Amino acid sequence: MELNGKELPIVKIEGKMNCRDFQAGYFLAQKNASPLHLPKVRAGLCLTGAAVCASMIPTWLAYFFSCLAPAGAACFFLALAGLFGFVIPSTVKSRGAALFASNQTLSLPYAVSFFPDRFLLENEQESILEYWTDVELSLENKQYYVFKGNLEKPLVVIPKQGLTEKEKRAITELLQHRLVSRYRRAY
């Protein structure tokens, strides 16, 4: 649609980003990079390794009269499960908070206009025009839209808080049609 020779956006939203929202969006992008990046998957693999090592204890006792090696390996895998399940996710979130703190323009009030071929992110300091072809991955969950790729900003997080159901539906339909293989519902 055009008005006086100027193209009108499909949806235009306004908001203000806070550290918690950016941190959650950053974590969402990191854990959805591939299935192996999910903390549950990594911890599950380590727990499987611990179970395999623990199942070797009777055999080691029968042949070597000691269960020190498989018990030690099982403890090692349990420690790795704790690392991948609890420590690394909090480290990734703190990295997101550090990125937010290092970029002062992220905390400014913004307006995002969604067009059929692009989106425009504006605040009082900058105006960023990004085409859908530059978006490598688009994630959506109950709280956020996250865009990642060859963008001027490597990660764009848009909170859904304050959006109407009509706006959410319009944005989701646009992303599903424009970013067919690069759009994912995140968990």
Side-chain angles (χ1 to χ4, degrees), residues 9-11 14-15 18 21 51 82 100 105-106 109 111 114 156 164 172 176:
I10 294 172
V11 178
E14 295 180 357
N18 61 38
D21 287 336
F100 182 82
T105 61
L106 289 174
F114 291 93
V156 176
T164 65
T172 299
Q176 287 174 340

Side-chain angles (χ1 to χ4, degrees), residues 27 29-42:
F27 183 65
Q30 293 300 314
K31 76 178 187 177
N32 282 285
S34 79
L36 286 177
H37 282 78
L38 289 169
K40 292 177 186 177
V41 172
R42 288 180 171 183

Side-chain angles (χ1 to χ4, degrees), residues 126-155:
E126 61 188 357
S127 179
I128 300 171
L129 177 69
E130 298 291 353
Y131 288 91
W132 294 123
T133 54
D134 294 329
V135 175
E136 291 176 0
L137 180 63
S138 171
L139 299 168
E140 176 186 358
N141 70 1
K142 292 179 182 179
Q143 293 110 356
Y144 306 102
Y145 294 105
V146 177
F147 303 112
K148 193 175 167 185
N150 295 327
L151 308 172
E152 197 169 315
K153 287 188 179 288
L155 183 71

